[in-house]
Amino acid sequence: MTSDASRPAPTDEVVDLCRDLLRIDTTNTGDNDTSVGERRAAEYVAEKLAEVGVTAEIHESAPGRANVVARIAGTEPGRGALLVHGHLDVVPADADEWSVHPFSGEIRDGYLWGRGAIDMKDFDAMVLAVVRHWQRTGVRPTRDIVLAYTADEEAGSDYGAHFLAQRHRDLFDGCTEAIGEVGGFSYSVSDTQRLYLIETAEKGLDWLRLHAKGRPGHGSMVHDDNAVTALAEAVARVGRHRFPVVVTPTVRAFLEEVSDVLGIELDPDDPETAIAKLGPIANIIGATIRNTANPTRLAAGYKDNVIPGRATATIDCRSLPGQSELLEAQLRELVGPDIAIEYIQRQPALETTFDGDLVDAMSAALRAEDPGARPVPYMLSGGTDAKAFSQLGIRCFGFAPLRLPADLNFSALFHGIDERVPVDGLQFGVRVLDRFLRTC
Ligand SMILES: [Zn+2]
């Protein structure tokens, strides 16, 4: 790809675009008064699109909570549109813990550093770079492409993707498929072979609060109805429980591919032995063979010598596709009849098949840029904006392509200290996306 002043190569421009985005602090604190950077990032994106003739609209769900949506008309309008979505917000970063300032956008040792470098301003910038290149050189996609840059993904998407999907449905008219985070990244098997994990499923989000009630009283007296004791027992039972292994079609397909490529014997009744051999990504994959329930918060009491009448705990549960009701029943059994369960978030799991033209186009684009690429489907243990867009009947994939060095612990960088993206990986992503979006 050649470059001159009026037509910078997208592989060069992506670095500047990503850097600019990283320098805009879009920290999502979970509170509208302090999550203030999204508007600036949204204006930046809209301006970069306007510069090349793409009209983008900013949709605010609350003051400052800004989402950007644009549509690029394809040459075959009869085909279903493709939604390409990325969030602009990031989780907080404590500068004292970092090797570089988290909002400096510094380039060091071949990496671009900053909060959001892989989650997910890298993809935001790649998409911008490809679209700007197309507009400058007269490339048009065959199908309509809808671009959505969202707010609030890191706090549940109420002010972002859910707001857009519920209040601005028309923006997504005709969208049949979507790509977004967390997929398309490489996992090195050897010098010549890399798995590229394409997200075809994600677990459901089942956040709940346990409520224990007891008899309030004086801390010095005999007391057999203590809410704190009852809650603590229930929380311990939930926290220590191991839910049964259930291998879904996505995880089965992933494990079969991985066993084949690594030469590991796969016992379908004992997938954990194979997963344990995966190294750093075992954390992610291991969480996709069962429902999970992790206690995350406890609250009770107001004085050292007063037994409170109530105690509450928050449990972060993640359910496998189709298992949310079963998980609820399992939890009721575990906590017992005296503890009340209240859902504070309940979003279903997603799962689609790893086949069809879109998957073929992803795989072909990866192989063209990396002859050692072996695309595989996988299930994400977390949740993304795909949950909101799938409510519109859109088939969602995680495909934000990145080629990563073999020794990089990628999963640890998500919400982690010293988040960074390899510059050449970012450029690889632009080339893959360019091919994919032209052919999909
Ligand atoms: Zn993200």
Side-chain angles (χ1 to χ4, degrees):
M1 296 176 188
T2 55
S3 172
D4 65 48
S6 65
R7 276 189 194 178
T11 44
D12 291 336
E13 208 185 32
V14 70
V15 182
D16 297 327
L17 293 166
C18 190
R19 201 171 189 182
D20 288 351
L21 284 170
L22 290 173
R23 287 176 173 167
I24 304 171
D25 178 350
T26 54
T27 299
N28 185 346
T29 60
D31 172 7
N32 283 358
D33 293 335
T34 48
S35 300
V36 292
E38 288 164 349
R39 176 81 204 189
R40 250 182 78 209
E43 282 170 359
Y44 174 86
V45 168
E47 191 185 296
K48 290 292 161 187
L49 290 170
E51 269 177 21
V52 293
V54 176
T55 309
E57 277 183 33
I58 294 182
H59 301 269
E60 278 199 344
S61 49
R65 308 307 304 265
N67 301 274
V68 188
V69 182
R71 186 179 282 252
I72 298 164
T75 53
E76 296 170 23
R79 294 185 58 202
L82 177 74
L83 168 63
V84 179
H85 60 95
H87 62 83
L88 289 169
D89 62 323
V90 297
V91 293
D94 179 355
D96 291 342
E97 297 174 334
W98 283 54
S99 310
V100 304
H101 194 280
F103 299 104
S104 63
E106 202 171 315
I107 295 175
R108 193 195 280 188
D109 306 328
Y111 286 84
L112 179 52
W113 299 59
R115 175 57 85 222
I118 53 149
D119 184 14
M120 59 175 297
K121 289 175 172 174
D122 55 340
F123 183 69
D124 295 337
M126 284 179 209
V127 174
L128 267 185
V130 170
V131 168
R132 282 164 63 85
H133 174 63
W134 284 9
Q135 291 290 116
R136 289 183 183 122
T137 53
V139 176
R140 278 184 71 191
T142 55
R143 59 202 290 197
D144 279 14
I145 292 180
V146 175
L147 305 177
Y149 290 87
T150 60
D152 199 34
E153 195 277 337
E154 298 293 0
S157 310
D158 285 347
Y159 294 97
H162 285 297
F163 162 79
L164 289 177
Q166 285 159 16
R167 306 282 295 277
H168 293 281
R169 249 189 135 90
D170 52 306
L171 295 171
F172 308 100
D173 277 352
C175 287
T176 53
E177 293 165 315
I179 60 164
E181 66 178 341
V182 179
F185 56 91
S186 68
Y187 168 75
S188 296
V189 177
S190 65
D191 288 348
T192 53
Q193 283 214 82
R194 274 160 296 282
L195 298 174
Y196 283 80
L197 280 68
I198 295 173
E199 193 213 291
T200 55
E202 55 185 58
K203 286 180 91 177
L205 208 143
D206 306 75
W207 291 350
L208 47 92
R209 201 164 284 142
L210 302 182
H211 295 268
K213 273 191 193 161
R215 198 175 69 249
H218 198 291
S220 69
M221 298 181 190
V222 172
H223 197 100
D224 59 3
D225 186 17
N226 185 319
V228 175
T229 309
L231 182 82
E233 286 172 347
V235 167
R237 282 197 298 276
V238 171
R240 294 199 188 285
H241 187 70
R242 299 266 281 172
F243 293 87
V245 170
V246 177
V247 180
T248 62
T250 298
V251 175
R252 180 171 302 273
F254 174 83
L255 290 174
E256 281 169 2
E257 283 285 321
V258 169
S259 307
D260 183 40
V261 78
L262 295 179
I264 305 172
E265 193 77 35
L266 175 66
D267 175 357
D269 296 324
D270 174 30
E272 291 184 291
T273 305
I275 291 171
K277 294 179 181 150
L278 295 180
I281 60 168
N283 271 350
I284 303 178
I285 306 302
T288 62
I289 55 167
R290 49 164 48 101
N291 296 327
T292 56
N294 284 310
T296 52
R297 290 186 183 217
L298 288 170
Y302 53 91
K303 198 168 183 306
D304 291 344
N305 60 353
V306 177
I307 298 167
R310 295 164 188 279
T312 63
T314 308
I315 317 283
D316 180 351
C317 302
R318 308 292 174 129
S319 55
L320 292 170
Q323 296 239 326
S324 184
E325 276 72 32
L326 176 65
L327 174 61
E328 184 180 353
Q330 291 167 329
L331 287 164
R332 288 215 180 274
E333 178 101 348
L334 276 172
V335 301
D338 297 334
I339 306 278
I341 294 178
E342 173 205 2
Y343 274 83
I344 45 184
Q345 274 277 2
R346 194 167 198 177
Q347 296 184 36
L350 308 178
E351 187 164 32
T352 186
T353 49
F354 190 60
D355 57 11
D357 293 346
L358 197 77
V359 169
D360 291 346
M362 290 177 201
S363 300
L366 285 168
R367 287 199 192 97
E369 293 298 334
D370 180 358
R374 190 154 171 173
V376 293
Y378 91 106
M379 182 187 297
L380 179 69
S381 58
T384 71
D385 278 347
K387 288 213 180 349
F389 295 122
S390 69
Q391 300 287 307
L392 302 177
I394 300 172
R395 187 181 179 212
C396 294
F397 293 88
F399 185 65
L402 261 189
R403 183 171 165 169
L404 300 167
D407 57 355
L408 184 71
N409 186 349
F410 184 59
S411 63
L413 295 178
F414 278 82
H415 302 186
I417 292 163
D418 287 342
E419 185 178 346
R420 60 197 185 277
V421 64
V423 171
D424 56 0
L426 202 56
Q427 295 171 324
F428 169 85
V430 166
R431 293 194 300 270
V432 173
L433 269 186
D434 187 18
R435 278 180 190 276
F436 165 72
L437 292 171
R438 279 172 200 249
T439 52
C440 71

